[in-house]
Amino acid sequence: MSKLKSMQELIGELRAKQEHVKQGGGADKLAKQREQGKMTARERVDALIDPGSMDEFGLFAEHRQTQLGMAGKQCAADGVVTGAATVDGRLIHFASQDFTVLGGSAGEVHSLKVADAMARSLKTGSPFVFINDSGGARVQEGIDSLSGYGQVFYHNVMLSGAVPQISLICGPCAGGAAYSPALTDFVIQTRQAQMFITGPQVIKQVTGEQITSEALGGADAHMVHSGVIHFVAENDEDALGICRRLLSFLPSNNLEEPPRVSTDDSVEPNSQLNDVVPTDPKKAYDVRDVIGGIVDQGDFLEVQPGYAPNMVVGFARIVGRSIGIIANQPSVLSGAIDINASVKASRFIRFCNAFNIPLVTFVDVPGYLPGVQQEYGGIIRHGAKLLFAYSAATVPKIQVILRKSYGGAHVAMSSRDLGADYVVAWPTAEVAVMGAEGAVEIVFRKEMQEAQDKAAKRAELIDLYRSTFASPYVAAGRRLVDDIIEPADTRRRLAQALEYLRAKRDYRPPKKHGLIPL
Ligand code: HXC
């Protein structure tokens, strides 16, 4: 009869097994990972969470494939670290793919572990963070790996709008695997990582086009061209820092308010704001200087800064309350709204609305961008998204008109008519159907043709139109603007409005869902 092991021996065995699995693919592979400037899967988790807060699930999970050389092959934790932990004292669930184990490839058990962590996120109302570093579906497991990915995608959709989902791309993210990040709310990509559906070799074979994998799926490509990602990170550490900072603005789920952080309670006037916006509507400025002068400690987390920079979106706080900011950027395309700007802002608005984050919109917009490419590209369909997203949003909506607010773009940028709860304008505001120069060409063409001194007549009529419409007073007279305020006082007025709109309730007719023009 074999001798029963003592508790001491059993504990010793357990510890040895734990240690072994935590070595992932082994010392050589871990060293190679670090040589490439990447952290290991476990180091990434440690850098994300509060020290000592991790509860790991499935450390001893193993694949069950017996073919193609997989029989008896040990795959530590099946190539993915999953669990629960806290970030700044708040619960999250996470998955972190381990590239040292079969290239982080996703077999059946690997993906079921990820899906299980996601299901726990949903049950507990906690954000889900997925750190991607993987060669994609595990080739040796065939359709079982496809099915596993299907489970992950399905859970991505179940979590959507219920808990925030953040993806970090810290290594390869190839093929269909890229559709999990695509289904999440925010994607952070490091400069070491690449993400694409089909790689350069396949593209060359199929279309003859030649491109490097960096130019095709690197962080800059996705920030500037595709709009797939929201933040570029210099390296893993930077990516994890961005993730923590992003989480700090968000509630844990759709039933909670965002955390109130006491960052700056002062609402003293900021007289520097009176000098940021030029009174000449043709002069550009950086709207981020306006935002910086209003929010707590000038701290603004800009989302997708390199994509459609004519529209600025991001998170900030006013007197400790999270807000989502949407702003036209007069220094790019004069702040005109194009297809990409509309899609970018609409998605951000819907995220904020789903997670109870009030919307503050700064308007300085000459209109929708004219052009054949814009029309052929569907500016009508895509521009409509912005109207839809604002109208459908039930969170507090505040509009601050800084300067130009013309035409359809005026209506689209969170106007009173789309349900804004509070509208203020700076004295520089011009609410009008279009700019005075364009308007006189339409309304007074005959008068100008008949005038002896055409230039003088034109200037006179522009002045007439401008003094009639191009000020905030007409709009205030029609109740489209609640008040005209001094720029310096904007922070105090926003703090007050956010306070009294705190308990806002807005009702919508019951329906399965609205039909945003996708
Ligand atoms: C199994 C894989 C793997 C995979 C990598 N490995 N990808 N094993 N399935 N998908 C293994 C390699 O065999 C190798 O094992 C180890 O991981 C490290 O890979 P390397 O190639 O040495 O690393 P590197 O040179 O850095 O290249 C990384 C890579 C490359 C670019 C990701 O491995 C690669 O191209 N992999 C295949 C990518 C791919 O086509 N995936 C399938 C996509 S289809 P050893 O033992 O030698 O160290 C897909 C469909 C999903 O994802 C659909 C969902 C609906």
Side-chain angles (χ1 to χ4, degrees):
M1 199 176 113
S2 65
K3 184 173 161 281
L4 286 174
K5 290 175 185 166
S6 70
M7 180 56 97
Q8 277 311 317
E9 284 170 318
L10 289 169
I11 290 173
E13 264 178 24
L14 170 66
R15 288 184 180 165
K17 280 181 194 291
Q18 285 170 333
E19 259 329 292
H20 181 70
V21 177
K22 286 181 184 174
Q23 291 307 307
D28 290 352
K29 292 219 153 109
L30 290 173
K32 190 173 167 204
Q33 175 93 350
R34 293 193 184 100
E35 271 163 28
Q36 291 174 340
K38 302 200 293 185
M39 289 173 151
T40 68
R42 288 179 186 278
E43 286 168 352
R44 287 172 181 150
V45 174
D46 287 343
L48 173 68
I49 66 173
D50 300 336
S53 69
M54 168 151 114
D55 247 330
E56 184 164 353
F57 312 139
L59 179 70
F60 298 116
E62 273 290 349
H63 69 87
R64 51 183 185 155
Q65 173 63 285
T66 54
Q67 293 164 313
L68 302 172
M70 291 292 284
K73 193 176 177 92
Q74 280 197 335
C75 289
D78 210 33
V80 64
V81 183
T82 59
T86 61
V87 172
D88 291 334
R90 297 193 300 147
L91 181 67
I92 65 153
H93 283 78
F94 65 83
S96 177
Q97 292 180 312
D98 186 346
F99 192 82
T100 68
V101 179
L102 280 184
S105 58
E108 176 202 22
V109 171
H110 174 117
S111 290
L112 292 180
K113 278 181 69 177
V114 177
D116 177 56
M118 297 170 91
R120 293 175 195 234
S121 254
L122 190 56
K123 276 189 204 161
T124 56
S126 54
F128 185 68
V129 178
F130 191 1
I131 305 173
N132 289 253
D133 187 358
S134 163
R138 187 175 297 158
V139 178
Q140 296 90 326
E141 294 196 36
I143 57 164
D144 289 335
S145 20
L146 287 189
S147 166
Y149 258 120
Q151 288 286 328
V152 173
F153 301 153
Y154 180 79
H155 281 82
N156 280 133
V157 177
M158 293 305 108
L159 268 61
S160 181
V163 295
Q165 299 183 80
I166 301 172
S167 300
L168 280 74
I169 315 299
C170 295
C173 183
Y179 283 119
S180 173
L183 288 167
T184 62
D185 304 315
F186 296 102
V187 184
I188 305 166
Q189 182 175 357
T190 67
R191 292 204 178 278
Q192 291 75 29
Q194 276 148 27
M195 177 165 46
F196 32 70
I197 298 295
T198 46
Q201 282 169 351
V202 177
I203 289 181
K204 193 174 167 208
Q205 279 165 13
V206 176
T207 71
E209 292 164 294
Q210 292 207 40
I211 188 164
T212 63
S213 55
E214 169 66 28
L216 182 68
D220 284 335
H222 284 307
M223 174 56 78
V224 175
H225 300 300
S226 71
V228 167
I229 69 166
H230 302 85
F231 301 96
V232 174
E234 292 307 316
N235 50 37
D236 288 350
E237 202 181 355
D238 189 27
L240 295 156
I242 293 170
C243 183
R244 289 179 68 101
R245 186 162 171 231
L246 176 58
L247 284 167
S248 77
F249 289 100
L250 312 181
S252 293
N253 59 63
N254 63 326
L255 301 178
E256 288 184 8
E257 300 295 318
R260 189 157 183 199
V261 183
S262 96
T263 43
D264 182 1
D265 291 341
S266 154
V267 289
E268 288 300 304
N270 174 4
S271 57
Q272 284 175 354
L273 271 180
N274 291 343
D275 301 321
V276 177
V277 175
T279 54
D280 178 352
K282 289 202 184 70
K283 283 206 172 135
Y285 62 95
D286 189 337
V287 76
R288 290 172 298 192
D289 293 338
V290 173
I291 296 167
I294 292 172
V295 302
D296 290 5
Q297 296 170 329
D299 182 23
F300 177 52
L301 178 61
E302 189 173 354
V303 173
Q304 286 191 307
Y307 185 73
N310 42 326
M311 183 76 85
V312 172
V313 304
F315 298 104
R317 295 185 183 86
I318 288 191
V319 194
R321 284 206 171 93
S322 290
I323 53 169
I325 291 176
I326 303 97
N328 309 115
Q329 174 57 287
S331 64
V332 182
L333 296 174
S334 306
I337 303 173
D338 63 354
I339 291 170
N340 292 349
S342 173
V343 172
K344 171 181 170 179
S346 304
R347 177 174 169 148
F348 182 73
I349 291 162
R350 285 165 64 82
F351 175 84
C352 291
N353 189 49
F355 290 105
N356 311 317
I357 300 172
L359 299 168
V360 178
T361 304
F362 294 99
V363 185
D364 191 346
V365 64
Y368 278 94
L369 186 69
V372 177
Q373 285 316 314
Q374 289 293 309
E375 297 293 339
Y376 280 9
I379 183 80
I380 296 176
R381 179 165 50 95
H382 295 294
K385 290 177 175 154
L386 194 55
L387 298 152
F388 197 109
Y390 269 124
S391 302
T394 55
V395 288
K397 295 184 279 195
I398 298 175
Q399 188 193 36
V400 183
I401 306 174
L402 304 177
R403 202 172 55 172
K404 295 190 285 285
S405 190
Y406 294 162
H410 160 75
V411 177
M413 289 299 292
S414 196
S415 62
R416 158 68 25 91
D417 295 297
L418 300 193
D421 302 292
Y422 185 59
V423 177
V424 288
W426 285 10
T428 32
E430 294 181 13
V431 184
V433 174
M434 58 173 66
E437 285 84 354
V440 296
E441 297 296 338
I442 296 170
V443 183
F444 300 119
R445 194 170 357 156
K446 216 164 139 221
E447 284 86 336
M448 288 199 294
Q449 274 166 2
E450 286 166 4
Q452 290 217 317
D453 184 345
K454 290 186 174 52
K457 189 71 184 169
R458 188 167 180 273
E460 179 196 320
L461 291 169
I462 286 173
D463 269 358
L464 174 69
Y465 189 86
R466 190 169 277 149
S467 60
T468 311
F469 284 116
S471 81
Y473 294 97
V474 180
R478 301 285 192 280
R479 298 170 44 259
L480 298 176
V481 168
D482 290 310
D483 204 359
I484 301 163
I485 64 170
E486 292 181 28
D489 210 21
T490 308
R491 176 174 163 82
R492 183 176 68 81
R493 299 298 290 260
L494 291 184
Q496 272 177 0
L498 288 165
E499 171 64 23
Y500 72 71
L501 289 168
R502 199 164 35 92
K504 177 193 171 187
R505 290 289 174 267
D506 204 353
Y507 298 97
R508 294 289 182 270
K511 53 187 158 182
K512 201 162 177 186
H513 55 71
L515 294 161
I516 189 163
L518 290 173

